Amino acid sequence: MAKSKLNELVGDIEDALDKATARFLFNTQGKLIKRAPVDSGRFASSWFIGKDQPDLSVAYERPKGAADVKRTKYTGPIKFEGVWYISNNLPYAERVSLDPKWAKGGDGGAAWFTTIVNNLDRDAKRTFTYYLKRTGQ
């Protein structure tokens, strides 16, 4: 009987870790999309989630001023295993994320990307704590 309860608890913890991983990835991708400077929407729409390697996709080109932002959701299972990436593979992604001249149109000003990155530990702790506290309830 004790072994059965322990197996249940381990299963509950694994489920909580999987859910927290998915929520953390989706929330972070959402922040990157929402806060990114938008001219045509291509840059903001080019944040993709990849497992064990970056997703090399890029969003389709849009006319300047279109502001057509679309989120591409990761469609595979998300588990608390492997290495997860959120990447943007447009040739100007680094410049728009880090150069204050190009990043100034982001929600949060020129430091929009740096602010998100600097808060990853805090956001992960909140997300994982939330799901793990509900384990076994």
Side-chain angles (χ1 to χ4, degrees):
M1 180 136 170
K3 186 175 181 180
S4 175
K5 292 267 187 201
L6 182 59
N7 286 342
E8 281 181 34
L9 181 59
V10 169
D12 289 346
I13 291 170
E14 288 174 342
D15 288 344
L17 290 171
D18 292 345
K19 288 176 185 174
T21 301
R23 177 60 42 215
F24 176 70
L25 288 169
F26 293 147
N27 285 349
T28 303
Q29 181 192 36
K31 287 178 186 179
L32 290 164
I33 291 168
K34 181 181 178 203
R35 295 183 183 169
V38 176
D39 181 16
S40 67
R42 185 176 191 212
F43 173 75
S45 300
S46 289
W47 292 103
F48 292 93
I49 296 172
K51 182 171 190 274
D52 294 327
Q53 64 184 24
D55 182 324
L56 300 178
S57 303
V58 294
Y60 66 90
E61 288 194 45
R62 298 150 165 88
K64 188 173 177 96
D68 179 24
V69 178
K70 295 196 172 154
R71 177 185 193 145
T72 302
K73 291 192 175 188
Y74 184 81
T75 57
I78 295 181
K79 302 279 186 185
F80 182 71
E81 62 186 23
V83 177
W84 291 95
Y85 295 86
I86 302 175
S87 58
N88 189 318
N89 292 288
L90 290 172
Y92 52 86
E94 183 176 358
R95 182 177 49 196
V96 175
S97 298
L98 300 173
D99 184 329
K101 178 182 174 188
W102 296 92
K104 65 184 175 200
D107 181 15
W112 71 272
F113 180 79
T114 306
T115 302
I116 292 169
V117 171
N118 288 343
N119 288 318
L120 286 176
D121 287 342
R122 180 203 67 190
D123 294 345
K125 183 176 181 178
R126 284 181 182 170
T127 304
F128 282 84
T129 299
Y130 174 84
Y131 282 96
L132 287 169
K133 280 187 174 180
R134 280 142 189 80
T135 302
Q137 291 183 2

